Amino acid sequence: MRFIHWPLIHSWCVAVGVLLLPISAAISADHLDSPSVQNNHSLDINDLYAFKSPTNANNIVLVMTVNPLAGVLSGTDFSSAGTYEFGVDNNGDAIPDKTFTVYFSAPKRGSQNVLVLRGNGSVLASGKTEQDITIAGGGKMRAGLFDDPFFFDLNGFQDNFNFTGSDFFAGMNVSGIVLEIPRTELGGVNVGVSVKTMIGGTQFDRMGRPAINTVLLPSGQKDAFNAGVPANDYANFGAAVEATIASLNGGDTATAATLAGILLPDVLTVDATSSAGFLNGRQPSNDVIDAELSLLTNGGVTTDMVNANDVPFLPGFPYLAPKH
């Protein structure tokens, strides 16, 4: 895997025959990326963020969101039968060398117990949802309901790129896991981050870079992609990704081949010492859409006219905006 920070495609879930929801709009980012994830929204990964803490230069922040349209389309609890894992590759082979696995109890009186284990089985953090949990050695963890940090004019995209700047995700919530840890926990500085959910010993969903599965994979391969591992991505899905990119950029196959070689394996690369933001990892406030629109259309479309989230992000932990 090459640690190249590149504008990455994020939120075109409606492209290439993606599911339309009963509320008459398709969900983008990684929300509802394949048929199987509709069976358990609490394990359906929406987004992944990785960035240097703006309040502690020695920490890195990892964020996973699940439960698309929490409280409307799906519930708000985390799965007590499944697990949520952050994987960190620190040697460039797209195989996690460090893992942080999050477990939840069944909900009781509106709360769930939370346990975070390192890959060696040691406890990183424990506490309850909707509370800040202190991590020994530095850092914090919080799991609960937040504003959906993704912003995009989805309706404009559906209307042949006739963007009006209306944020489809305004006022929507997701369930989020925010894990701020010392960067020494990563085992390296330039790392690749990915997340996955598991249930019954089976991988349910996974994500690294935004919208690889939702946009770049045909419908018949989406479940297979979610069941796969990043190290095998290019061999198994490279041809399909190239073909889709070429269909979106006017048939520029050379550029499509180059981008496919960068976008796969599906791991979000980040320099843990840099606060540059996207293209370095991904921060909630980064407007990745404009960069991706320009990239995928060879400059034909440069903005969706939505430049920020509907509500301000917090300047410090837990960084995501409060729930609506």
Side-chain angles (χ1 to χ4, degrees), residues 129-150:
T129 54
E130 303 296 350
Q131 296 180 4
D132 290 352
I133 301 169
T134 300
I135 294 176
K140 294 180 181 179
M141 185 264 187
R142 186 181 181 96
L145 196 62
F146 297 93
D147 159 76
D148 190 335
F150 181 54

Side-chain angles (χ1 to χ4, degrees), residues 29-80:
D30 201 66
H31 312 50
L32 292 171
D33 63 345
S34 77
S36 65
V37 298
Q38 300 172 62
N39 298 326
N40 191 331
H41 294 305
S42 66
L43 296 173
D44 176 10
I45 300 169
N46 300 336
D47 280 292
L48 165 65
Y49 302 88
F51 55 95
K52 177 182 174 182
S53 168
T55 59
N56 187 330
N58 295 317
N59 286 357
I60 187 168
V61 182
L62 307 176
V63 180
M64 180 196 320
T65 65
V66 297
N67 273 332
L69 276 71
V72 180
L73 176 67
S74 62
T76 61
D77 294 324
F78 296 92
S79 171
S80 60

Side-chain angles (χ1 to χ4, degrees), residues 78-162:
F78 296 92
S79 171
S80 60
T83 59
Y84 304 77
E85 181 181 299
F86 295 88
V88 179
D89 167 30
N90 56 37
N91 62 11
D93 63 1
I95 299 172
D97 301 290
K98 301 283 187 176
T99 59
F100 307 98
T101 305
V102 187
Y103 301 80
F104 294 92
S105 71
K108 185 177 181 179
R109 292 191 290 272
S111 180
Q112 294 178 267
N113 294 327
V114 187
L115 176 66
V116 187
L117 299 183
R118 299 180 180 89
N120 62 10
S122 63
V123 176
L124 179 68
S126 63
K128 291 183 177 296
T129 54
E130 303 296 350
Q131 296 180 4
D132 290 352
I133 301 169
T134 300
I135 294 176
K140 294 180 181 179
M141 185 264 187
R142 186 181 181 96
L145 196 62
F146 297 93
D147 159 76
D148 190 335
F150 181 54
F151 48 97
F152 176 45
D153 182 1
L154 177 60
N155 291 328
F157 178 84
Q158 290 179 298
D159 188 24
N160 298 316
F161 292 176
N162 290 314

Side-chain angles (χ1 to χ4, degrees), residues 3 5 50 52 57-58 60 88-91 183-193 268-274 280-281:
F3 290 113
H5 304 301
K52 177 182 174 182
N58 295 317
I60 187 168
V88 179
D89 167 30
N90 56 37
N91 62 11
R183 68 168 182 259
T184 53
E185 292 275 0
L186 304 179
V189 174
N190 288 292
V191 298
V193 182
L268 181 64
T269 56
V270 58
D271 177 353
T273 67
S274 172
N280 177 65

